Amino acid sequence: MFTLETEKLSLAYGENLIIEELDITIPKGEITVFIGSNGCGKSTLLRSLARLLKPKSGSIIINGDMISKLPTKEIAKNLAILPQGPIAPEGLTVLQLVKQGRYPYQKWYRQWSEEDESIVNDALRSTGMLDLSDRLVDSLSGGQRQRAWIALTLAQDTEIILLDEPTTYLDMTHQIEILDLLFSLNENEGRTIVMVLHDLNLACRYAHNIVAIKNKKVYASGQPENIINAKLVSDVFNMDCNVTQDPLFGTPMCIPHGKGRIVFPKVGI
């Protein structure tokens, strides 16, 4: 049932312990979102799941195998990661970028094939980038550029996709566009999506499963409607709020306390 899990995973930068003896499971075919305050270790955890960061102790298991013992190309066939703010080499077209996703499948006796071509075209089509395939990546808008990078991860043809804050620096329209795209990939293709998101309301709307991290450990995990409440927000984010239902989707919606204009009509007017 689970494709990715950790056992007593501890992560550190030098002597600075970031994650301590973490046990988590990523449900297959669902969208999981990591939430937590800045610096809590969300991105560090995501990087470690892709074997971009060596654990201090503990293990990461993918499809029953220890990830530390798998060849790099084998890992790249199982999961793809889109880091925060990736930068493409200057002068690269969208097509050239997306083709890089087929690298794990290339061998000295097997170069570019019809299958590679088909998968790349499918990735471009799924992300709405087929008509922009000849455009330079540098010339794209923020939303288009992010879709190009997602097309690259799709070209890897992996069951699991990891994304570190995929909506960062995007305006509201493009945030929804990217999250809708990822939701469709999950719904239509059964991809397992794991993301780090800062927007708690969007995390609740799109995630089947949320993992809240605090003090190097999992504070809570589960379906948003089961775990997101005012106490969790206060404890994890140190912020007072009201939690109500999203009027469109029925998912938890956080309304933060703080200062601002009051425009409620006065009684009797």
Side-chain angles (χ1 to χ4, degrees):
M1 183 177 178
F2 299 107
T3 57
L4 191 60
E5 58 187 315
T6 71
E7 293 182 352
K8 296 190 179 301
L9 180 68
S10 293
L11 305 171
Y13 291 111
E15 297 301 315
N16 184 23
L17 191 64
I18 306 297
I19 295 293
E20 184 176 11
E21 295 192 347
L22 208 64
D23 292 321
I24 60 171
T25 53
I26 304 298
K28 181 178 181 179
E30 295 188 359
I31 297 176
T32 296
V33 174
F34 297 155
I35 64 169
S37 60
N38 288 340
C40 73
K42 305 182 297 295
S43 296
T44 299
L45 175 58
L46 197 78
R47 284 170 50 81
S48 73
L49 294 178
R51 208 175 73 175
L52 298 180
L53 177 66
K54 185 178 180 180
K56 182 178 179 67
S57 61
S59 57
I60 300 165
I61 300 168
I62 183 169
N63 295 328
D65 295 319
M66 299 273 287
I67 200 170
S68 60
K69 296 182 178 180
L70 292 174
T72 299
K73 281 195 172 184
E74 190 63 29
I75 295 171
K77 293 177 183 178
N78 282 277
L79 61 83
I81 183 168
L82 178 58
Q84 186 181 162
I87 299 175
E90 188 175 348
L92 206 66
T93 67
V94 171
L95 179 59
Q96 289 170 330
L97 175 69
V98 176
K99 279 185 172 183
Q100 302 304 309
R102 301 305 298 162
Y103 169 74
Y105 302 90
Q106 304 301 301
K107 298 177 180 178
W108 68 267
Y109 57 84
R110 179 192 178 278
Q111 297 301 312
W112 197 256
S113 67
E114 289 184 6
E115 181 184 14
D116 294 323
E117 193 74 25
S118 175
I119 290 173
V120 166
N121 285 332
D122 285 345
L124 290 166
R125 191 176 297 108
S126 296
T127 52
M129 296 299 292
L130 195 59
D131 291 341
L132 300 175
S133 60
D134 292 329
R135 288 273 300 275
L136 293 176
V137 176
D138 292 342
S139 71
L140 301 176
S141 68
Q144 291 170 336
R145 191 177 300 117
Q146 195 70 323
R147 282 193 281 131
W149 282 103
I150 292 173
L152 165 63
T153 66
L154 292 183
Q156 276 186 235
D157 198 25
T158 64
E159 181 181 331
I160 305 170
I161 301 175
L162 313 177
L163 305 105
D164 189 1
E165 300 183 31
T167 59
T168 299
Y169 307 127
L170 298 181
D171 60 33
M172 188 180 300
T173 299
H174 289 111
Q175 287 182 42
I176 299 301
E177 176 186 282
I178 293 301
L179 292 173
D180 279 355
L181 168 60
L182 295 171
F183 187 82
S184 294
L185 291 172
N186 169 259
E187 285 279 289
N188 300 329
E189 301 181 16
R191 309 265 187 158
T192 300
I193 309 287
V194 186
M195 293 187 283
V196 171
L197 288 179
H198 274 303
D199 190 312
L200 183 57
N201 292 335
L202 290 180
C204 289
R205 178 182 292 189
Y206 288 93
H208 301 98
N209 181 52
I210 279 183
V211 178
I213 299 172
K214 178 180 172 62
N215 292 336
K216 306 179 181 66
K217 297 182 179 295
V218 172
Y219 174 92
S221 66
Q223 294 180 315
E225 52 270 30
N226 293 334
I227 68 167
I228 299 299
N229 52 46
K231 185 178 187 306
L232 179 144
V233 177
S234 177
D235 290 348
V236 173
F237 295 97
N238 193 29
M239 181 181 70
D240 294 327
C241 74
N242 289 4
V243 175
T244 185
Q245 276 192 323
D246 185 311
L248 294 179
F249 294 88
T251 52
M253 185 172 71
C254 174
I255 304 174
H257 295 181
K259 296 180 179 180
R261 298 185 309 112
I262 297 177
V263 295
F264 293 120
K266 295 182 179 179
V267 176
I269 296 180

